[in-house]
Amino acid sequence: MTRTWAPVPADSGFGLANLPYGVFAPPGEPPRCGVRIGDHVLDLAAALGDDGFAAPSLNAFLARGRTAWTQTRNRIVDLLTDTSHEPRLTPHLYPVGDVVLQMPFGVADYVDFYASEHHAGNIGRMFRPDAAPLLPNWKHLPVGYHGRAGTVVVSGTPVVRPCGQRKAPSAAAPTFGPSAKLDVEVEVGFVVGASSELGRPVPVSRFAEHVFGVVLVNDWSARDIQAWEYVPLGPFLGKSFATTVSPWVVPLDALAAARVPRPPQDPAPLEYLAEEAWALDLDLALEVNGQVLSRPPYTRMYWSPAQMLAHMTVNGASLRTGDLYASGTVSGPEREQRGSLIELTWNGTEPLTLEDGSTRTFLADGDTVTISGTAPTADGGRISLGEVTGRVEPAVDG
Ligand code: CA
């Protein structure tokens, strides 16, 4: 690939092949949109002379659609490779360590799927040991639920341990108090740019027309609250207190080399979900207090992002700019590939010992959780998806 005049460290995952978008605030200045190159952020409104990027949200840009997204990316590559632009643009490059990264887009609706067969299978084995691990619908449709858009927060936002109702199976009645089973879910989120018309499903073939890019997601989950409330209508307060996303939206244009084939789905899905099976070759890592606990592989996901999108709209539900849908917990077949503590500790029955000698079943107050990820490039390198991090703060009440 062509070289950039901008400073990019040798092993940076943020070279020209990546160019993710975010919202940043320089010290004492209002937030605006930028693109990351190396360890710097380029102010896009200034660089492109485009006021659409002066807002503290990518939504105006996301709404423009695929042609504009690709043109903008090409223009940014031109600006960063043609040295004639260096004198004018250098004042608009900010060290990433000097700026505050904010929520990159306004979330319209938030949906969370359940697309990993290994995750769904593990949960099934834990909670329904005498039945088949997967429920009868699982291989016929991407199971999902609508989450809470207003509590999707950017990486670095503290997460207060939620309080709620819990009831142990042996207890006669529920009690109220701080969750004792606060967990994480390693997920990948898909950011919708171009909207769709109410009443018109979006077919799998039009995925790239509507989806702009991806973020990393931590779907914080209070397992004890969830276990008591979820029947019959699904996740509610055990999930809605916080969902954290990474600050950089990596465009699909940067992930072309990450698209990999998957074995055909069996049974073959219904016609509206039919496509050649594929996944994204994203290597994810889950860390607690700096220690890697697992490395979930996105290549093993059963349902593709295009199938999730098609399913989400097949009833005619329309898409809005800023819609976010997440994959569900990413888990592979191996123990060290499980993307949640409930799986890693088998619902608390197999505690983990951390390097400091302490043990965990679920998260303790003060724990810092970080999810990171990388994807391959066409030339054999890897780009970074950045990271999504959050520290657990003690419950406010209870
Ligand atoms: Ca989830």
Tab-separated table of all heavy atoms in Angstrom, residues 112 185 187 219 239 328-329, ligand 1:
chain	number	residue	atom	x	y	z
A	112	ASP	N	-29.612	-6.637	19.987
A	112	ASP	CA	-28.537	-7.580	20.300
A	112	ASP	C	-28.956	-8.976	19.863
A	112	ASP	O	-30.045	-9.439	20.215
A	112	ASP	CB	-28.254	-7.548	21.811
A	112	ASP	CG	-26.933	-8.217	22.147
A	112	ASP	OD1	-26.079	-8.364	21.247
A	112	ASP	OD2	-26.753	-8.604	23.315
A	185	GLU	N	-19.910	-9.475	28.049
A	185	GLU	CA	-20.085	-10.258	26.835
A	185	GLU	C	-19.264	-9.609	25.734
A	185	GLU	O	-19.457	-8.429	25.407
A	185	GLU	CB	-21.571	-10.353	26.451
A	185	GLU	CG	-22.373	-11.178	27.474
A	185	GLU	CD	-23.786	-11.526	27.028
A	185	GLU	OE1	-24.335	-10.801	26.162
A	185	GLU	OE2	-24.336	-12.511	27.553
A	187	GLU	N	-18.539	-8.800	22.182
A	187	GLU	CA	-19.384	-8.789	20.990
A	187	GLU	C	-18.816	-7.838	19.940
A	187	GLU	O	-17.957	-6.995	20.236
A	187	GLU	CB	-20.814	-8.341	21.344
A	187	GLU	CG	-21.451	-9.207	22.440
A	187	GLU	CD	-22.967	-9.090	22.499
A	187	GLU	OE1	-23.569	-8.585	21.524
A	187	GLU	OE2	-23.531	-9.513	23.522
A	219	ASP	N	-21.388	-6.076	26.143
A	219	ASP	CA	-22.779	-6.136	26.611
A	219	ASP	C	-22.768	-6.608	28.069
A	219	ASP	O	-22.954	-7.779	28.369
A	219	ASP	CB	-23.576	-7.102	25.718
A	219	ASP	CG	-24.998	-7.285	26.208
A	219	ASP	OD1	-25.514	-6.379	26.888
A	219	ASP	OD2	-25.589	-8.342	25.922
A	239	LYS	N	-29.648	-6.232	31.434
A	239	LYS	CA	-28.790	-5.818	30.324
A	239	LYS	C	-28.783	-4.306	30.116
A	239	LYS	O	-27.820	-3.762	29.580
A	239	LYS	CB	-29.304	-6.453	29.021
A	239	LYS	CG	-29.317	-7.963	28.991
A	239	LYS	CD	-27.943	-8.498	28.651
A	239	LYS	CE	-28.017	-9.983	28.303
A	239	LYS	NZ	-26.693	-10.497	27.913
A	328	GLY	N	-24.113	-10.594	19.580
A	328	GLY	CA	-24.205	-11.566	20.661
A	328	GLY	C	-22.807	-12.025	21.033
A	328	GLY	O	-21.838	-11.801	20.291
A	329	THR	N	-22.711	-12.646	22.200
A	329	THR	CA	-21.408	-13.075	22.712
A	329	THR	C	-20.676	-13.943	21.699
A	329	THR	O	-21.239	-14.890	21.163
A	329	THR	CB	-21.592	-13.887	24.003
A	329	THR	OG1	-22.397	-13.131	24.887
A	329	THR	CG2	-20.248	-14.198	24.646
B	1	CA	CA	-25.407	-10.031	24.463
